[in-house]
Structure formats: C-alpha cells, structure tokens
Amino acid sequence: MRKAITSALFTMLFAFGAMFAYAEDLNLTIPLPLTGTQAKFGDIQKRSYEMAAAEINAKGGIKGKTLVLKFEDSGAKPEVARGIVEKLIDVQKQPIIIGEYTSACAKAVAAVSEERKTPYMVVVSGADDITQQNYKYVFRLNSPNANYADGLLGFMKEAVKPKTIAILHESSDFGTSGADEMAKHAEALGIKVLLKEKYEKGAVDFKPILTKVKSLRPDVVYMVSYVMDAALLMRQIKELRLDANLFAGGAAGFAIPEFVDNAKDASEYVVTSTLWSPQVKYKGSKEYAEKYKKMYGDYPSYHGAAAYGALFVAKDALERAKTWTPNDIRDALKATKMQTAFGNVQFVDKNGYQNQNFIPTLALQVIKGQHETIWPKNMASAKYLYPMPKWRQRK
C-alpha cells in the first residue's frame, strides 16, 4: 500500500513538474513555404526567425518564458496555409499568428484570423488589399505593393527620366498588383506604358513576349517576378540583345543574392526596388546582416530582415499585453511604436489601409556581382551606374 501511495505521489509530482516545464515555454508555430518554388524565401525567413528567437531567449525569453519555434510547410498553397492556421487557432489555441510568404497564402490566413478573432501579423506579403478589408485583427509589417517601388521611382524620375516603359509580371496577386501600381505611377509621371503583360510563373521560354518588348523599344523594362523567372528573363533578354536604358525589378526575385547567382553576368546593372538592404542604418540591422552572412554565407534579403524584426515586434506586444488573450494582444499590437532591424514599426490606418506599417523603400543595383543600395542618395552604399551599356558594348 505504501509503495502504491509513493508511486502515485511520484506520478503526481512528475505531472506537475511536466506542467510547470510546459508553462515555462511559449510555443509558436509559423506557417511558411518550405518546399516548392517559393521554398527559398521560406528558408530565408525560417533562418531569421530562428536567429531572433535565439537572441530573445538569451535575454530571458518573453515574460520569463522560453520561446519555442516550430514551422509548418504550406508549400505556398493557400488551402494548406488555411488548414494549418485553423489548427493552430482551434486546436493549439495559439493566441497570435505570424508568417507566410505569398500574398495568396497571406489572404487565406488573414481571412481565418479575422473570422476567429485572432491577431495575425503579415510579414512580407505585398498585395495591397490584404490590409484594405477593414479587418480588426490583421496587421502588416511590410509596406504594401503600392509603395514597393517608391525608391525605384525616385531613381527613375531623377536619374533615368524615361519616356516609355514596358511592364512584365507573373500572374499571382503579388505580380499583378505590383504591375498595376507601376503602371499608375508611370502614367502619373508622364511615362507612357507601351505594354503591360502577364505570364505564368515557371515558364521556360520568355522569348515570344521579350521579342514583342524588343519591337517596342521601351526606355525601361520593368518586371515583377520571383527568383527563377527573374533570372531566366534577364538571361533571355541578354540572348535576344534586347536593349533598354534600364532593366528594373519589383523586389521579390530581383532582390535576393540567388538572382545574381542564377542570372550571372546578365544581372549586372539591373536595378530593383526593395524594402531593406544590409547597408541601412536601422538599429541592429548591420549586426543581424553580418551574423546571417557568417552563419549562411550570404547576406539576407528584406524577407529575412522582416522575419527577424517581426519576432521582436511580437515580443514587444506580448510583453505589453494585459493578458495573452487575442483581444489584448491585438490592442498591444495596435499600440506598437518601436524600431527594429527592419525599420520603424507603427501600425496605422492610412490611405485606405488598416493596421498597416509604412517604411521607406529603396533601390538596389547589381554592381560587380553584388547588390548595392543606390537610392535614396542619403542611404546609398555606392554610386549608381547609369546609363547602362548596350549588350554589344559589354564584355
């Protein structure tokens, strides 16, 4: 009998110990594309989330709790992303959702989060309408597509001064909204849009559409593409000897090191908009960029910086929230005002957006095989190279 009582007490103590240990952890699962065509972007973010979590835990965690990250692979499929988040909210009772990459997945997650009244922080998804739905529980860290090209437009207006532009874009929400916004901005600047045409992502032959562009002889060729398409477009532009005063990208695939790796010398002189660069002067930005490079061999893109910053925003909100109920966390996010390695963060209702953060956007140029910040001038790491030489003039 005594043995049985002792055994029961031991079991109870073990259970309480396990509950106590569990209570010391804050489990946060993040949905990302870890396989498929967008896996590269998911991997950059995953590494950056993990770096941020390690730093947060090294300084005591969040309200004394160890932050334990887990990741679930959406494969960039909206229906999968939706299923993951339904489980996180309904089963695991996760009080805040962070993550995803494509705009289509972010829209699916946003709809679930709003329906379940659980705060969701969009980290890098750009489609404008994500934060134009009058949602109360959806917040976005990155600027919307309408602002992605602000830095690039400043460069075009002051340095390039084009009269005509051709716009090519992949057919996703991100590609379409990015192309539409560039067309609007171009027309406002008096730049004639000669062509605005979409293509299906993952195409292997862009030469028919590029031949059409070549016949129009635009001053600027602007492309909104993910990385493999971006690299193939530039390689085939080189093969066709399609000349323009400027080849430019709308962030995404043009703004990561893999673009240069895959496009090779065809990437030289290409300018792209971006939301961040390793050269920015935000507090903690340089340290993050150098640490990432040391760990993974290359500098991160804005996708990584946004993910890294997002976890510190979540930490800040969770520490200020009265309780860890969704409504209190939402209220804390709404009151956010801080600086991260990704820039200043404040979620505002402005210009038809709700709970939207706005940050300055930049222009990068590939110079000697490296992305350099060229615009705005006060944030530049190198002098821009313009005009671009014709293909026949290049070695």
Side-chain angles (χ1 to χ4, degrees):
M1 183 70 177
R2 186 176 296 172
K3 287 183 179 179
I5 294 171
T6 302
S7 177
L9 286 171
F10 179 81
T11 301
M12 289 173 62
L13 287 170
F14 181 84
F16 280 122
M19 288 173 61
F20 180 80
Y22 178 81
E24 290 303 303
D25 290 343
L26 170 58
N27 293 282
L28 182 64
T29 298
I30 298 175
L32 286 174
L34 300 174
T35 58
T37 56
Q38 309 305 337
K40 184 63 190 181
F41 297 99
D43 192 42
I44 292 170
Q45 292 176 74
K46 180 176 180 290
R47 291 170 172 177
S48 301
Y49 284 125
E50 289 171 337
M51 288 173 61
E55 292 175 22
I56 288 169
N57 287 331
K59 294 184 178 180
I62 300 177
K63 282 194 171 180
K65 296 182 183 294
T66 299
L67 177 59
V68 178
L69 292 188
K70 298 177 182 178
F71 300 90
E72 288 213 27
D73 178 21
S74 68
K77 297 175 181 177
E79 66 277 11
V80 177
R82 180 182 179 94
I84 290 170
V85 172
E86 286 176 339
K87 180 183 68 175
L88 294 180
I89 296 173
D90 296 345
V91 179
Q92 298 185 24
K93 307 300 180 184
Q94 187 165 299
I96 182 172
I97 304 297
I98 301 170
E100 262 313 329
Y101 171 59
T102 69
S103 291
C105 284
K107 287 181 181 181
V109 173
V112 174
S113 296
E114 187 70 15
E115 180 183 278
R116 305 298 207 274
K117 293 181 169 54
T118 301
Y120 169 40
M121 183 165 30
V122 181
V123 180
V124 291
S125 309
D128 293 293
D129 58 356
I130 293 172
T131 47
Q132 292 178 325
Q133 306 294 324
N134 289 313
Y135 286 160
K136 305 299 183 188
Y137 292 84
V138 178
F139 297 77
R140 177 157 52 185
L141 184 66
N142 62 295
S143 290
N145 248 351
N147 296 101
Y148 266 43
D150 287 355
L152 174 61
L153 286 164
F155 172 67
M156 287 170 56
K157 183 178 179 181
E158 293 192 36
V160 182
K161 301 178 181 178
K163 294 182 180 178
T164 58
I165 188 171
I167 302 171
L168 306 177
H169 65 97
E170 55 99 31
S171 56
S172 72
D173 289 330
F174 172 74
T176 301
S177 60
D180 289 345
E181 289 299 332
M182 175 53 76
K184 291 177 187 175
H185 289 306
E187 289 171 356
L189 292 173
I191 304 169
K192 186 176 181 181
V193 179
L194 301 178
L195 174 76
K196 181 163 75 74
E197 192 159 329
K198 70 179 179 181
Y199 66 84
E200 293 302 317
K201 63 182 179 181
V204 296
D205 185 9
F206 292 111
K207 289 182 179 177
I209 192 173
L210 292 175
T211 298
K212 186 188 297 188
V213 173
K214 185 175 181 179
S215 70
L216 296 172
R217 302 178 67 182
D219 294 330
V220 175
V221 178
Y222 179 75
M223 298 156 281
V224 188
S225 311
Y226 292 117
V227 64
M228 298 312 295
D229 293 345
L232 185 56
L233 276 163
M234 285 311 304
R235 291 202 306 269
Q236 293 186 356
I237 283 171
K238 177 187 175 183
E239 290 172 19
L240 289 172
R241 293 293 190 264
L242 192 171
D243 285 315
N245 293 341
L246 177 67
F247 296 109
F254 290 90
I256 64 175
E258 284 70 23
F259 167 65
V260 180
D261 294 342
N262 287 287
K264 307 298 183 185
D265 61 348
S267 69
E268 195 71 10
Y269 304 106
V270 172
V271 174
T272 182
S273 55
T274 190
L275 306 184
W276 175 92
S277 85
Q279 295 98 13
V280 295
K281 301 297 192 292
Y282 303 137
K283 184 179 179 181
S285 184
K286 182 179 179 181
E287 291 81 0
Y288 156 69
E290 294 297 338
K291 185 175 180 180
Y292 187 102
K293 186 175 189 295
K294 184 176 180 180
M295 292 175 70
Y296 302 111
D298 242 329
Y299 284 115
S301 64
Y302 70 86
H303 311 85
Y308 179 82
L311 219 53
F312 287 97
V313 174
K315 174 183 183 293
D316 175 71
L318 288 169
E319 290 183 336
R320 286 185 292 103
K322 293 179 181 178
T323 69
W324 281 2
T325 59
N327 282 351
D328 281 348
I329 294 172
R330 178 201 60 189
D331 292 346
L333 280 170
K334 189 68 176 178
T336 297
K337 192 172 184 180
M338 64 182 293
Q339 186 175 93
T340 71
F342 187 59
N344 292 324
V345 179
Q346 185 173 10
F347 299 108
V348 299
D349 301 333
K350 177 181 173 183
N351 299 335
Y353 298 95
Q354 300 84 42
N355 300 329
Q356 175 65 59
N357 185 46
F358 293 93
I359 57 173
T361 57
L362 317 171
L364 306 178
Q365 185 174 34
V366 180
I367 300 175
K368 296 181 179 180
Q370 299 290 329
H371 279 115
E372 297 283 356
T373 307
I374 60 165
W375 209 268
K377 290 180 180 178
N378 65 346
M379 299 181 77
S381 62
K383 170 70 175 174
Y384 61 83
L385 301 178
Y386 186 82
M388 295 170 54
K390 305 297 184 186
W391 291 108
R392 68 177 181 275
Q393 297 171 330
R394 304 193 196 190
K395 294 180 181 180

